Amino acid sequence: MTIAIIDLGISNIASVKNTLENLGFDSIVTSDPAKLENKSKLILPGVGSFPKAMRAIKLKNWDKVLKKKVYEEKSSILGICLGMQLLGSVGFEMEETKGLDFIKGKIESFENKKYDLLLPHVGWNEVHYLNNDPMFEKIPNDSDFYFVHSYIFRETEKEDISATTRYKINFTSAVRKNNVWGVQFHPEKSSVAGKQLLSNYLNLS
């Protein structure tokens, strides 16, 4: 099995690829949607601006290709950090921007008038699993993962939320709907727990 890591030109792809290699998985990094042919496992990393990322997606018709892969070919996709946010319906960073809409939800600022939140949210934080999602198999509940973000997934369907994290307020830190998965944290930077999560995702049938 060869995994495709999608390169939108907005994140450090090398750390994801290196982690997969350390786990014994072959992967390709591609900025060409045509290279997704015959790839059943996809990873969408991302750091930065939601609108910029969606412009990059639409420029090369990634949105059409990904929807075909997910809905018709039943390929699995894992969104990481901004990549998870792009799976949502709409983002509100600087301007209203439609997302891929694989999982219903709005991407909004972490800001909350009741709390003095230091943003971006950077560092290690506990992830609390809400169900028996196989992506978290062999990982103790409330394990620490590494975060870097200022926006969060809101108004998600309850059944699509796999995990939450508390940073003065509770927020959705992992989502799943059928063959679409997303994590707000960076598993490739999250030591043993992160490697186990990636291994779990890639070994899922």
Side-chain angles (χ1 to χ4, degrees), residues 7-11 44-60 62 82-83 85-86 91-99 151:
D7 183 6
L8 300 177
I10 57 170
S11 61
L44 178 61
V47 175
S49 161
F50 190 102
K52 181 179 179 181
M54 284 307 304
R55 284 194 292 270
I57 285 172
K58 291 184 176 296
L59 183 64
K60 292 189 176 182
W62 278 109
L82 176 61
Q85 296 175 5
L86 297 171
F92 292 93
E93 183 177 353
M94 297 183 287
E95 60 191 58
E96 183 174 338
T97 307
K98 289 185 178 180
Y151 285 77

PDB file of all heavy atoms in Angstrom, residues 7-11 44-60 62 82-83 85-86 91-99 151:
ATOM      1  N   ASP A   7       0.014  17.731  -1.070  1.00  0.00           N
ATOM      2  CA  ASP A   7       0.830  18.922  -0.858  1.00  0.00           C
ATOM      3  C   ASP A   7       0.155  20.129  -1.503  1.00  0.00           C
ATOM      4  O   ASP A   7       0.147  20.264  -2.720  1.00  0.00           O
ATOM      5  CB  ASP A   7       2.221  18.711  -1.457  1.00  0.00           C
ATOM      6  CG  ASP A   7       3.155  19.885  -1.199  1.00  0.00           C
ATOM      7  OD1 ASP A   7       2.760  20.811  -0.456  1.00  0.00           O
ATOM      8  OD2 ASP A   7       4.276  19.860  -1.739  1.00  0.00           O
ATOM      9  N   LEU A   8      -0.417  20.995  -0.664  1.00  0.00           N
ATOM     10  CA  LEU A   8      -1.044  22.225  -1.150  1.00  0.00           C
ATOM     11  C   LEU A   8      -0.081  23.405  -1.092  1.00  0.00           C
ATOM     12  O   LEU A   8      -0.464  24.538  -1.384  1.00  0.00           O
ATOM     13  CB  LEU A   8      -2.296  22.546  -0.327  1.00  0.00           C
ATOM     14  CG  LEU A   8      -3.410  21.496  -0.318  1.00  0.00           C
ATOM     15  CD1 LEU A   8      -4.542  21.948   0.596  1.00  0.00           C
ATOM     16  CD2 LEU A   8      -3.936  21.234  -1.728  1.00  0.00           C
ATOM     17  N   GLY A   9       1.155  23.133  -0.679  1.00  0.00           N
ATOM     18  CA  GLY A   9       2.143  24.195  -0.554  1.00  0.00           C
ATOM     19  C   GLY A   9       1.954  25.064   0.672  1.00  0.00           C
ATOM     20  O   GLY A   9       2.411  26.204   0.707  1.00  0.00           O
ATOM     21  N   ILE A  10       1.287  24.524   1.703  1.00  0.00           N
ATOM     22  CA  ILE A  10       0.967  25.340   2.880  1.00  0.00           C
ATOM     23  C   ILE A  10       1.404  24.694   4.186  1.00  0.00           C
ATOM     24  O   ILE A  10       0.998  25.141   5.252  1.00  0.00           O
ATOM     25  CB  ILE A  10      -0.552  25.630   2.953  1.00  0.00           C
ATOM     26  CG1 ILE A  10      -1.342  24.321   2.962  1.00  0.00           C
ATOM     27  CG2 ILE A  10      -1.001  26.529   1.815  1.00  0.00           C
ATOM     28  CD1 ILE A  10      -2.811  24.494   3.259  1.00  0.00           C
ATOM     29  N   SER A  11       2.237  23.650   4.128  1.00  0.00           N
ATOM     30  CA  SER A  11       2.633  23.017   5.385  1.00  0.00           C
ATOM     31  C   SER A  11       3.945  22.272   5.214  1.00  0.00           C
ATOM     32  O   SER A  11       4.432  22.065   4.101  1.00  0.00           O
ATOM     33  CB  SER A  11       1.544  22.050   5.872  1.00  0.00           C
ATOM     34  OG  SER A  11       1.350  21.022   4.924  1.00  0.00           O
ATOM     35  N   LEU A  44      -4.193  14.687   4.346  1.00  0.00           N
ATOM     36  CA  LEU A  44      -4.250  16.104   3.984  1.00  0.00           C
ATOM     37  C   LEU A  44      -3.730  16.936   5.151  1.00  0.00           C
ATOM     38  O   LEU A  44      -4.477  17.287   6.047  1.00  0.00           O
ATOM     39  CB  LEU A  44      -5.698  16.495   3.646  1.00  0.00           C
ATOM     40  CG  LEU A  44      -5.959  17.965   3.297  1.00  0.00           C
ATOM     41  CD1 LEU A  44      -5.167  18.386   2.062  1.00  0.00           C
ATOM     42  CD2 LEU A  44      -7.458  18.197   3.085  1.00  0.00           C
ATOM     43  N   PRO A  45      -2.432  17.246   5.165  1.00  0.00           N
ATOM     44  CA  PRO A  45      -1.896  18.106   6.232  1.00  0.00           C
ATOM     45  C   PRO A  45      -2.139  19.576   5.868  1.00  0.00           C
ATOM     46  O   PRO A  45      -2.436  19.907   4.720  1.00  0.00           O
ATOM     47  CB  PRO A  45      -0.389  17.799   6.220  1.00  0.00           C
ATOM     48  CG  PRO A  45      -0.178  16.756   5.158  1.00  0.00           C
ATOM     49  CD  PRO A  45      -1.373  16.789   4.278  1.00  0.00           C
ATOM     50  N   GLY A  46      -1.966  20.444   6.848  1.00  0.00           N
ATOM     51  CA  GLY A  46      -2.099  21.862   6.541  1.00  0.00           C
ATOM     52  C   GLY A  46      -1.821  22.747   7.735  1.00  0.00           C
ATOM     53  O   GLY A  46      -2.159  22.397   8.864  1.00  0.00           O
ATOM     54  N   VAL A  47      -1.164  23.859   7.472  1.00  0.00           N
ATOM     55  CA  VAL A  47      -0.928  24.893   8.475  1.00  0.00           C
ATOM     56  C   VAL A  47      -1.128  26.231   7.777  1.00  0.00           C
ATOM     57  O   VAL A  47      -0.628  26.423   6.666  1.00  0.00           O
ATOM     58  CB  VAL A  47       0.504  24.819   9.051  1.00  0.00           C
ATOM     59  CG1 VAL A  47       0.751  25.972  10.003  1.00  0.00           C
ATOM     60  CG2 VAL A  47       0.728  23.492   9.762  1.00  0.00           C
ATOM     61  N   GLY A  48      -1.881  27.135   8.404  1.00  0.00           N
ATOM     62  CA  GLY A  48      -2.035  28.450   7.793  1.00  0.00           C
ATOM     63  C   GLY A  48      -3.473  28.855   7.593  1.00  0.00           C
ATOM     64  O   GLY A  48      -4.349  28.529   8.393  1.00  0.00           O
ATOM     65  N   SER A  49      -3.726  29.535   6.492  1.00  0.00           N
ATOM     66  CA  SER A  49      -4.999  30.206   6.243  1.00  0.00           C
ATOM     67  C   SER A  49      -6.004  29.316   5.523  1.00  0.00           C
ATOM     68  O   SER A  49      -5.695  28.734   4.482  1.00  0.00           O
ATOM     69  CB  SER A  49      -4.729  31.470   5.412  1.00  0.00           C
ATOM     70  OG  SER A  49      -5.885  31.927   4.775  1.00  0.00           O
ATOM     71  N   PHE A  50      -7.217  29.267   6.071  1.00  0.00           N
ATOM     72  CA  PHE A  50      -8.311  28.505   5.452  1.00  0.00           C
ATOM     73  C   PHE A  50      -8.615  29.018   4.043  1.00  0.00           C
ATOM     74  O   PHE A  50      -8.672  28.215   3.093  1.00  0.00           O
ATOM     75  CB  PHE A  50      -9.546  28.583   6.350  1.00  0.00           C
ATOM     76  CG  PHE A  50     -10.678  27.653   5.966  1.00  0.00           C
ATOM     77  CD1 PHE A  50     -10.892  26.475   6.672  1.00  0.00           C
ATOM     78  CD2 PHE A  50     -11.539  27.959   4.923  1.00  0.00           C
ATOM     79  CE1 PHE A  50     -11.937  25.623   6.334  1.00  0.00           C
ATOM     80  CE2 PHE A  50     -12.584  27.118   4.582  1.00  0.00           C
ATOM     81  CZ  PHE A  50     -12.781  25.941   5.290  1.00  0.00           C
ATOM     82  N   PRO A  51      -8.811  30.333   3.835  1.00  0.00           N
ATOM     83  CA  PRO A  51      -9.118  30.814   2.478  1.00  0.00           C
ATOM     84  C   PRO A  51      -8.005  30.516   1.476  1.00  0.00           C
ATOM     85  O   PRO A  51      -8.270  30.120   0.337  1.00  0.00           O
ATOM     86  CB  PRO A  51      -9.304  32.322   2.659  1.00  0.00           C
ATOM     87  CG  PRO A  51      -9.634  32.503   4.087  1.00  0.00           C
ATOM     88  CD  PRO A  51      -8.878  31.428   4.816  1.00  0.00           C
ATOM     89  N   LYS A  52      -6.759  30.687   1.891  1.00  0.00           N
ATOM     90  CA  LYS A  52      -5.631  30.420   0.995  1.00  0.00           C
ATOM     91  C   LYS A  52      -5.592  28.947   0.607  1.00  0.00           C
ATOM     92  O   LYS A  52      -5.349  28.596  -0.557  1.00  0.00           O
ATOM     93  CB  LYS A  52      -4.319  30.824   1.665  1.00  0.00           C
ATOM     94  CG  LYS A  52      -3.101  30.610   0.798  1.00  0.00           C
ATOM     95  CD  LYS A  52      -1.832  31.058   1.505  1.00  0.00           C
ATOM     96  CE  LYS A  52      -0.601  30.814   0.628  1.00  0.00           C
ATOM     97  NZ  LYS A  52       0.649  31.238   1.324  1.00  0.00           N
ATOM     98  N   ALA A  53      -5.841  28.078   1.575  1.00  0.00           N
ATOM     99  CA  ALA A  53      -5.828  26.648   1.309  1.00  0.00           C
ATOM    100  C   ALA A  53      -6.942  26.248   0.346  1.00  0.00           C
ATOM    101  O   ALA A  53      -6.727  25.455  -0.573  1.00  0.00           O
ATOM    102  CB  ALA A  53      -5.955  25.870   2.616  1.00  0.00           C
ATOM    103  N   MET A  54      -8.140  26.806   0.536  1.00  0.00           N
ATOM    104  CA  MET A  54      -9.248  26.466  -0.353  1.00  0.00           C
ATOM    105  C   MET A  54      -9.015  27.007  -1.766  1.00  0.00           C
ATOM    106  O   MET A  54      -9.401  26.376  -2.748  1.00  0.00           O
ATOM    107  CB  MET A  54     -10.575  26.988   0.215  1.00  0.00           C
ATOM    108  CG  MET A  54     -11.128  26.164   1.359  1.00  0.00           C
ATOM    109  SD  MET A  54     -11.298  24.363   1.022  1.00  0.00           S
ATOM    110  CE  MET A  54     -12.348  24.353  -0.447  1.00  0.00           C
ATOM    111  N   ARG A  55      -8.353  28.137  -1.877  1.00  0.00           N
ATOM    112  CA  ARG A  55      -8.013  28.643  -3.217  1.00  0.00           C
ATOM    113  C   ARG A  55      -7.048  27.682  -3.909  1.00  0.00           C
ATOM    114  O   ARG A  55      -7.174  27.401  -5.104  1.00  0.00           O
ATOM    115  CB  ARG A  55      -7.410  30.043  -3.129  1.00  0.00           C
ATOM    116  CG  ARG A  55      -8.431  31.138  -2.860  1.00  0.00           C
ATOM    117  CD  ARG A  55      -7.857  32.527  -3.108  1.00  0.00           C
ATOM    118  NE  ARG A  55      -6.836  32.888  -2.135  1.00  0.00           N
ATOM    119  CZ  ARG A  55      -7.098  33.513  -0.991  1.00  0.00           C
ATOM    120  NH1 ARG A  55      -8.347  33.834  -0.671  1.00  0.00           N
ATOM    121  NH2 ARG A  55      -6.119  33.831  -0.161  1.00  0.00           N
ATOM    122  N   ALA A  56      -6.087  27.166  -3.144  1.00  0.00           N
ATOM    123  CA  ALA A  56      -5.138  26.199  -3.704  1.00  0.00           C
ATOM    124  C   ALA A  56      -5.846  24.911  -4.119  1.00  0.00           C
ATOM    125  O   ALA A  56      -5.514  24.302  -5.143  1.00  0.00           O
ATOM    126  CB  ALA A  56      -4.038  25.899  -2.682  1.00  0.00           C
ATOM    127  N   ILE A  57      -6.820  24.509  -3.335  1.00  0.00           N
ATOM    128  CA  ILE A  57      -7.590  23.303  -3.649  1.00  0.00           C
ATOM    129  C   ILE A  57      -8.384  23.477  -4.939  1.00  0.00           C
ATOM    130  O   ILE A  57      -8.376  22.615  -5.823  1.00  0.00           O
ATOM    131  CB  ILE A  57      -8.513  22.945  -2.470  1.00  0.00           C
ATOM    132  CG1 ILE A  57      -7.693  22.330  -1.332  1.00  0.00           C
ATOM    133  CG2 ILE A  57      -9.630  21.992  -2.898  1.00  0.00           C
ATOM    134  CD1 ILE A  57      -8.465  22.109  -0.053  1.00  0.00           C
ATOM    135  N   LYS A  58      -9.055  24.596  -5.071  1.00  0.00           N
ATOM    136  CA  LYS A  58      -9.892  24.824  -6.249  1.00  0.00           C
ATOM    137  C   LYS A  58      -9.069  25.093  -7.508  1.00  0.00           C
ATOM    138  O   LYS A  58      -9.492  24.765  -8.624  1.00  0.00           O
ATOM    139  CB  LYS A  58     -10.862  25.972  -5.985  1.00  0.00           C
ATOM    140  CG  LYS A  58     -11.936  25.613  -4.954  1.00  0.00           C
ATOM    141  CD  LYS A  58     -12.946  26.714  -4.781  1.00  0.00           C
ATOM    142  CE  LYS A  58     -14.045  26.276  -3.812  1.00  0.00           C
ATOM    143  NZ  LYS A  58     -14.829  25.134  -4.343  1.00  0.00           N
ATOM    144  N   LEU A  59      -7.884  25.675  -7.331  1.00  0.00           N
ATOM    145  CA  LEU A  59      -7.033  25.997  -8.479  1.00  0.00           C
ATOM    146  C   LEU A  59      -6.700  24.757  -9.297  1.00  0.00           C
ATOM    147  O   LEU A  59      -6.652  24.809 -10.537  1.00  0.00           O
ATOM    148  CB  LEU A  59      -5.744  26.673  -7.992  1.00  0.00           C
ATOM    149  CG  LEU A  59      -4.764  27.139  -9.075  1.00  0.00           C
ATOM    150  CD1 LEU A  59      -5.392  28.242  -9.929  1.00  0.00           C
ATOM    151  CD2 LEU A  59      -3.465  27.627  -8.442  1.00  0.00           C
ATOM    152  N   LYS A  60      -6.474  23.644  -8.613  1.00  0.00           N
ATOM    153  CA  LYS A  60      -6.111  22.409  -9.311  1.00  0.00           C
ATOM    154  C   LYS A  60      -7.223  21.361  -9.288  1.00  0.00           C
ATOM    155  O   LYS A  60      -6.993  20.189  -9.588  1.00  0.00           O
ATOM    156  CB  LYS A  60      -4.837  21.815  -8.697  1.00  0.00           C
ATOM    157  CG  LYS A  60      -3.594  22.652  -8.950  1.00  0.00           C
ATOM    158  CD  LYS A  60      -2.348  21.901  -8.512  1.00  0.00           C
ATOM    159  CE  LYS A  60      -1.090  22.678  -8.851  1.00  0.00           C
ATOM    160  NZ  LYS A  60       0.140  21.947  -8.466  1.00  0.00           N
ATOM    161  N   TRP A  62      -8.648  19.989  -6.809  1.00  0.00           N
ATOM    162  CA  TRP A  62      -8.528  18.977  -5.771  1.00  0.00           C
ATOM    163  C   TRP A  62      -9.898  18.614  -5.198  1.00  0.00           C
ATOM    164  O   TRP A  62     -10.147  17.455  -4.844  1.00  0.00           O
ATOM    165  CB  TRP A  62      -7.643  19.496  -4.636  1.00  0.00           C
ATOM    166  CG  TRP A  62      -6.177  19.377  -4.851  1.00  0.00           C
ATOM    167  CD1 TRP A  62      -5.290  20.382  -5.096  1.00  0.00           C
ATOM    168  CD2 TRP A  62      -5.392  18.183  -4.811  1.00  0.00           C
ATOM    169  NE1 TRP A  62      -4.017  19.896  -5.216  1.00  0.00           N
ATOM    170  CE2 TRP A  62      -4.043  18.543  -5.032  1.00  0.00           C
ATOM    171  CE3 TRP A  62      -5.695  16.833  -4.591  1.00  0.00           C
ATOM    172  CZ2 TRP A  62      -3.012  17.610  -5.054  1.00  0.00           C
ATOM    173  CZ3 TRP A  62      -4.662  15.899  -4.608  1.00  0.00           C
ATOM    174  CH2 TRP A  62      -3.339  16.298  -4.840  1.00  0.00           C
ATOM    175  N   LEU A  82      -5.022  22.219   9.951  1.00  0.00           N
ATOM    176  CA  LEU A  82      -5.835  22.920   8.953  1.00  0.00           C
ATOM    177  C   LEU A  82      -6.500  21.930   8.011  1.00  0.00           C
ATOM    178  O   LEU A  82      -7.622  22.155   7.544  1.00  0.00           O
ATOM    179  CB  LEU A  82      -4.970  23.905   8.169  1.00  0.00           C
ATOM    180  CG  LEU A  82      -5.658  24.646   7.020  1.00  0.00           C
ATOM    181  CD1 LEU A  82      -6.823  25.493   7.511  1.00  0.00           C
ATOM    182  CD2 LEU A  82      -4.657  25.516   6.256  1.00  0.00           C
ATOM    183  N   GLY A  83      -5.826  20.816   7.757  1.00  0.00           N
ATOM    184  CA  GLY A  83      -6.414  19.783   6.905  1.00  0.00           C
ATOM    185  C   GLY A  83      -7.726  19.266   7.452  1.00  0.00           C
ATOM    186  O   GLY A  83      -8.659  18.982   6.703  1.00  0.00           O
ATOM    187  N   GLN A  85      -9.765  21.086   9.346  1.00  0.00           N
ATOM    188  CA  GLN A  85     -10.703  22.189   9.192  1.00  0.00           C
ATOM    189  C   GLN A  85     -11.241  22.273   7.771  1.00  0.00           C
ATOM    190  O   GLN A  85     -12.420  22.584   7.552  1.00  0.00           O
ATOM    191  CB  GLN A  85     -10.032  23.495   9.596  1.00  0.00           C
ATOM    192  CG  GLN A  85      -9.633  23.531  11.065  1.00  0.00           C
ATOM    193  CD  GLN A  85      -8.850  24.771  11.442  1.00  0.00           C
ATOM    194  OE1 GLN A  85      -8.664  25.671  10.632  1.00  0.00           O
ATOM    195  NE2 GLN A  85      -8.373  24.827  12.676  1.00  0.00           N
ATOM    196  N   LEU A  86     -10.404  21.962   6.792  1.00  0.00           N
ATOM    197  CA  LEU A  86     -10.826  22.001   5.391  1.00  0.00           C
ATOM    198  C   LEU A  86     -11.898  20.968   5.080  1.00  0.00           C
ATOM    199  O   LEU A  86     -12.640  21.100   4.102  1.00  0.00           O
ATOM    200  CB  LEU A  86      -9.622  21.788   4.467  1.00  0.00           C
ATOM    201  CG  LEU A  86      -8.537  22.860   4.532  1.00  0.00           C
ATOM    202  CD1 LEU A  86      -7.318  22.423   3.732  1.00  0.00           C
ATOM    203  CD2 LEU A  86      -9.055  24.201   4.015  1.00  0.00           C
ATOM    204  N   GLY A  91     -15.587  28.062   6.422  1.00  0.00           N
ATOM    205  CA  GLY A  91     -14.643  28.685   7.327  1.00  0.00           C
ATOM    206  C   GLY A  91     -14.868  30.176   7.412  1.00  0.00           C
ATOM    207  O   GLY A  91     -15.329  30.802   6.455  1.00  0.00           O
ATOM    208  N   PHE A  92     -14.537  30.764   8.576  1.00  0.00           N
ATOM    209  CA  PHE A  92     -14.749  32.199   8.794  1.00  0.00           C
ATOM    210  C   PHE A  92     -13.444  32.886   9.208  1.00  0.00           C
ATOM    211  O   PHE A  92     -13.436  33.733  10.085  1.00  0.00           O
ATOM    212  CB  PHE A  92     -15.838  32.419   9.843  1.00  0.00           C
ATOM    213  CG  PHE A  92     -17.201  32.002   9.373  1.00  0.00           C
ATOM    214  CD1 PHE A  92     -17.685  30.724   9.639  1.00  0.00           C
ATOM    215  CD2 PHE A  92     -17.983  32.877   8.637  1.00  0.00           C
ATOM    216  CE1 PHE A  92     -18.947  30.342   9.193  1.00  0.00           C
ATOM    217  CE2 PHE A  92     -19.251  32.502   8.191  1.00  0.00           C
ATOM    218  CZ  PHE A  92     -19.723  31.229   8.467  1.00  0.00           C
ATOM    219  N   GLU A  93     -12.350  32.518   8.560  1.00  0.00           N
ATOM    220  CA  GLU A  93     -11.070  33.167   8.806  1.00  0.00           C
ATOM    221  C   GLU A  93     -10.883  34.275   7.774  1.00  0.00           C
ATOM    222  O   GLU A  93     -10.709  33.999   6.591  1.00  0.00           O
ATOM    223  CB  GLU A  93      -9.933  32.154   8.690  1.00  0.00           C
ATOM    224  CG  GLU A  93      -8.574  32.756   9.011  1.00  0.00           C
ATOM    225  CD  GLU A  93      -7.460  31.726   8.958  1.00  0.00           C
ATOM    226  OE1 GLU A  93      -7.768  30.521   8.795  1.00  0.00           O
ATOM    227  OE2 GLU A  93      -6.294  32.123   9.073  1.00  0.00           O
ATOM    228  N   MET A  94     -10.972  35.524   8.225  1.00  0.00           N
ATOM    229  CA  MET A  94     -10.855  36.714   7.362  1.00  0.00           C
ATOM    230  C   MET A  94     -12.073  36.909   6.465  1.00  0.00           C
ATOM    231  O   MET A  94     -12.598  38.010   6.348  1.00  0.00           O
ATOM    232  CB  MET A  94      -9.579  36.675   6.520  1.00  0.00           C
ATOM    233  CG  MET A  94      -8.301  36.703   7.347  1.00  0.00           C
ATOM    234  SD  MET A  94      -6.789  36.734   6.351  1.00  0.00           S
ATOM    235  CE  MET A  94      -6.761  35.047   5.733  1.00  0.00           C
ATOM    236  N   GLU A  95     -12.542  35.852   5.855  1.00  0.00           N
ATOM    237  CA  GLU A  95     -13.703  35.936   4.970  1.00  0.00           C
ATOM    238  C   GLU A  95     -14.429  34.602   4.990  1.00  0.00           C
ATOM    239  O   GLU A  95     -13.847  33.573   5.316  1.00  0.00           O
ATOM    240  CB  GLU A  95     -13.256  36.254   3.543  1.00  0.00           C
ATOM    241  CG  GLU A  95     -12.317  35.208   2.972  1.00  0.00           C
ATOM    242  CD  GLU A  95     -11.668  35.627   1.667  1.00  0.00           C
ATOM    243  OE1 GLU A  95     -10.999  36.688   1.672  1.00  0.00           O
ATOM    244  OE2 GLU A  95     -11.832  34.913   0.671  1.00  0.00           O
ATOM    245  N   GLU A  96     -15.703  34.619   4.669  1.00  0.00           N
ATOM    246  CA  GLU A  96     -16.470  33.376   4.611  1.00  0.00           C
ATOM    247  C   GLU A  96     -16.031  32.571   3.397  1.00  0.00           C
ATOM    248  O   GLU A  96     -16.049  33.070   2.272  1.00  0.00           O
ATOM    249  CB  GLU A  96     -17.968  33.668   4.555  1.00  0.00           C
ATOM    250  CG  GLU A  96     -18.828  32.414   4.576  1.00  0.00           C
ATOM    251  CD  GLU A  96     -20.317  32.719   4.657  1.00  0.00           C
ATOM    252  OE1 GLU A  96     -20.674  33.838   5.104  1.00  0.00           O
ATOM    253  OE2 GLU A  96     -21.120  31.848   4.273  1.00  0.00           O
ATOM    254  N   THR A  97     -15.627  31.327   3.628  1.00  0.00           N
ATOM    255  CA  THR A  97     -15.101  30.485   2.559  1.00  0.00           C
ATOM    256  C   THR A  97     -15.674  29.082   2.688  1.00  0.00           C
ATOM    257  O   THR A  97     -15.614  28.475   3.757  1.00  0.00           O
ATOM    258  CB  THR A  97     -13.562  30.393   2.645  1.00  0.00           C
ATOM    259  OG1 THR A  97     -13.001  31.706   2.687  1.00  0.00           O
ATOM    260  CG2 THR A  97     -13.008  29.648   1.442  1.00  0.00           C
ATOM    261  N   LYS A  98     -16.225  28.568   1.608  1.00  0.00           N
ATOM    262  CA  LYS A  98     -16.756  27.209   1.627  1.00  0.00           C
ATOM    263  C   LYS A  98     -15.619  26.197   1.718  1.00  0.00           C
ATOM    264  O   LYS A  98     -14.588  26.337   1.067  1.00  0.00           O
ATOM    265  CB  LYS A  98     -17.581  26.948   0.368  1.00  0.00           C
ATOM    266  CG  LYS A  98     -18.906  27.692   0.333  1.00  0.00           C
ATOM    267  CD  LYS A  98     -19.726  27.293  -0.882  1.00  0.00           C
ATOM    268  CE  LYS A  98     -21.079  28.001  -0.881  1.00  0.00           C
ATOM    269  NZ  LYS A  98     -21.898  27.625  -2.066  1.00  0.00           N
ATOM    270  N   GLY A  99     -15.833  25.161   2.566  1.00  0.00           N
ATOM    271  CA  GLY A  99     -14.861  24.082   2.697  1.00  0.00           C
ATOM    272  C   GLY A  99     -15.243  22.904   1.821  1.00  0.00           C
ATOM    273  O   GLY A  99     -16.114  23.004   0.945  1.00  0.00           O
ATOM    274  N   TYR A 151      -8.069  28.428  15.251  1.00  0.00           N
ATOM    275  CA  TYR A 151      -9.449  28.216  14.822  1.00  0.00           C
ATOM    276  C   TYR A 151      -9.876  26.800  15.179  1.00  0.00           C
ATOM    277  O   TYR A 151      -9.037  25.894  15.269  1.00  0.00           O
ATOM    278  CB  TYR A 151      -9.585  28.451  13.311  1.00  0.00           C
ATOM    279  CG  TYR A 151      -9.543  29.909  12.957  1.00  0.00           C
ATOM    280  CD1 TYR A 151      -8.341  30.601  12.929  1.00  0.00           C
ATOM    281  CD2 TYR A 151     -10.717  30.621  12.677  1.00  0.00           C
ATOM    282  CE1 TYR A 151      -8.289  31.953  12.637  1.00  0.00           C
ATOM    283  CE2 TYR A 151     -10.676  31.974  12.377  1.00  0.00           C
ATOM    284  CZ  TYR A 151      -9.465  32.629  12.359  1.00  0.00           C
ATOM    285  OH  TYR A 151      -9.420  33.980  12.073  1.00  0.00           O
TER     286      TYR A 151
END
